[in-house]
Amino acid sequence: MSHVIRAAGGADLPLLAQVERSAAALFAQAGEELAWLAQGEPLPLDTLQELQRHDCLWVAADGQNAPVGFLGAELLDGQLFIVELSVALPQQRQGLGTRLLDAATAHAQSLGCAWLTLSTYRHLPWNGPYYARHGFSEIDAVALGAGHARKLAREAQDGHEPALRCLMRRPLAR
């Protein structure tokens, strides 16, 4: 089945929660300390609307034009920060995450950003090692700026174990 990567439309937004929940089901297999993430709340609709308003929300759509994956990003400290990358479980391992990353990369380059950045779990295969295979490397929050440091602090407040989290960045061709 051929999937299309496109800008998210208004009709897509209410459907992204089920994509995110499907992707988050992997956390239930990651051990007791992270199982709570499988039950976590998806991104709020107003957050998705804000990302869409700034042209920073893309979907991977199936043959019926329904979203099966998405990537949302925002400008942070002058870089494009990936807020969420989710692909529904049945569609994982088909290159959709890579294609969504490519869309975000092209957008970041058009904005003149030097880096694509994100925060993630460093030890989970579909987190830190996945992004490392896609050219990201771990970086200290101080090197990225106050906004990135605040992101990590907020994640810790939300229950993410700071010792397991990291910031990563990928250089963008100028």
Side-chain angles (χ1 to χ4, degrees):
M1 178 186 307
S2 174
H3 293 88
V4 173
I5 306 299
R6 59 172 173 75
D12 295 320
L13 302 187
L15 306 175
L16 299 184
Q18 80 184 57
V19 172
E20 193 174 345
R21 282 191 187 99
S22 175
L26 274 179
F27 286 106
Q29 306 162 19
E32 219 171 274
E33 65 184 345
L34 295 178
W36 65 277
L37 291 168
Q39 308 304 318
E41 284 300 307
L43 287 175
L45 188 58
D46 62 340
T47 299
L48 294 169
Q49 289 167 333
E50 185 70 14
L51 298 175
Q52 182 194 25
R53 217 176 353 268
H54 289 98
D55 300 320
C56 290
L57 186 61
W58 300 269
V59 297
D62 66 13
Q64 284 75 50
N65 203 30
V68 295
F70 74 97
L71 186 152
E74 65 186 2
L75 279 174
L76 187 64
D77 298 323
Q79 309 308 324
L80 194 64
F81 178 85
I82 297 171
V83 175
E84 182 68 38
L85 171 57
S86 288
V87 175
L89 270 177
Q91 284 79 26
Q92 289 180 4
R93 306 189 68 77
Q94 297 177 26
L96 297 179
T98 300
R99 291 175 60 200
L100 287 162
L101 282 171
D102 290 346
T105 296
H107 186 66
Q109 288 170 316
S110 77
L111 296 173
C113 298
W115 306 96
L116 193 58
T117 64
L118 56 87
S119 62
T120 192
Y121 281 96
R122 65 168 50 92
H123 68 297
L124 297 175
W126 67 92
N127 277 199
Y130 170 84
Y131 291 112
R133 287 193 306 275
H134 287 84
F136 287 82
S137 56
E138 212 171 305
I139 183 79
D140 193 88
V142 177
L144 289 175
H148 285 81
R150 281 193 299 274
K151 274 276 186 222
L152 280 184
R154 175 68 196 269
E155 289 177 2
Q157 285 176 342
D158 290 345
H160 297 274
E161 172 55 52
L164 301 178
R165 300 289 290 174
C166 67
L167 285 168
M168 298 182 85
R169 71 179 181 183
R170 177 167 88 181
L172 301 174
R174 293 296 195 143

